[in-house]
C-alpha cells in the first residue's frame, strides 16, 4: 500500500474537497467557491491527505481574528475507504503541530451532540496535548437553526506548547 501524504492544500484541491465532503454525510456541504477559499486563503490552517493521487482526507480550520492564538477546526472529512486507520487524528495532530510553531496555543471546534466520531477524535487530541476542554452550546438548534440542525457545542482547550504538540505528533506517527 502506498503511503498517505499529509500536506497543505492548494487551489487544485477545491473540487476534490467538495466531492469528498459530499461523500462524508452528514457533513454540511459548502460551495466549491468556499472550498477553493479553504484550500487557498486558509491553506496554512488546513491539511489535506492524499493517497494514490486522490484526496482522501481534509481538515479545514482558521485562526479567529480576535483569538490569533487559537486554531478553530471547522470540518474534518475522511473518505470511507480510509476510516478506522487513525487518519483523522494524524491529520489533526499534524495541523496542530504546524500551527503551534506559529503561535497557536488553543484548539477549538464545534460538535453536535451525538456525533461520537468527532467527540472521540477531539477527546484523543486533547489527551495527547494534555489539556481539558471547556464546553458550552454556542449555536442552539432553536435560536440559530430554526429547529433544522442540532445544537453546536463549542469545545475549547489549552494552552498547549509547541513542544507538547511536537512530542505527541512524534508518538502518534511512530
Amino acid at each position: 500500500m502506498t503511503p498517505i501524504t499529509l500536506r497543505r492544500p492548494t487551489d487544485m484541491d477545491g473540487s476534490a474537497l467538495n466531492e469528498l465532503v459530499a461523500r462524508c454525510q452528514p457533513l454540511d456541504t459548502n460551495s466549491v467557491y468556499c472550498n477553493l477559499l479553504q484550500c487557498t486563503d486558509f491553506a496554512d490552517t488546513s491539511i489535506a491527505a492524499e493517497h494514490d493521487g486522490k484526496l482522501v482526507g481534509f481538515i479545514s480550520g482558521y485562526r479567529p481574528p480576535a483569538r490569533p492564538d487559537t486554531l478553530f477546526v471547522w470540518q474534518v472529512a475522511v473518505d470511507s475507504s480510509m476510516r478506522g486507520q487513525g487518519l483523522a487524528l494524524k491529520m489533526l495532530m499534524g495541523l496542530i503541530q504546524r500551527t503551534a510553531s506559529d503561535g497557536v496555543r488553543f484548539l477549538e471546534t464545534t460538535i453536535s451532540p451525538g456525533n461520537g466520531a468527532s467527540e472521540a477524535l477531539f477527546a484523543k487530541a486533547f489527551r495527547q496535548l494534555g489539556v481539558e476542554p471547556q464546553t458550552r452550546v454556542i449555536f442552539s438548534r432553536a435560536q440559530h437553526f430554526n429547529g433544522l440542525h442540532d445544537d453546536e457545542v463549542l469545545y475549547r482547550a489549552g494552552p498547549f506548547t509547541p513542544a507538547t504538540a511536537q512530542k505527541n505528533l512524534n508518538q502518534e506517527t511512530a
Side-chain angles (χ1 to χ4, degrees), residues 86-106:
L87 179 57
L89 185 60
K90 287 178 184 157
M91 287 190 304
L92 182 57
M93 295 309 294
L95 183 57
I96 291 167
Q97 187 270 327
R98 183 184 348 131
T99 58
S101 68
D102 193 31
V104 166
R105 301 293 177 265
F106 292 87

Side-chain angles (χ1 to χ4, degrees), residues 4 21 26 94 117 132:
I4 296 171
V21 170
E132 287 290 323

Side-chain angles (χ1 to χ4, degrees), residues 26-28 72-76 92 107-126 133-141 145 149-157:
L27 293 181
D28 293 330
F72 183 94
V73 173
W74 178 358
Q75 194 170 56
V76 178
L92 182 57
L107 177 61
E108 288 184 347
T109 194
T110 60
I111 302 173
S112 296
N115 183 337
S118 289
E119 290 168 343
L121 169 63
F122 283 90
K124 288 177 188 173
F126 296 145
Q134 302 296 313
T135 62
R136 67 182 171 89
V137 172
I138 188 171
F139 300 121
S140 75
R141 179 183 188 121
F145 298 114
H149 188 290
D150 288 334
D151 289 343
E152 288 286 343
V153 177
L154 176 69
Y155 287 70
R156 178 175 171 80

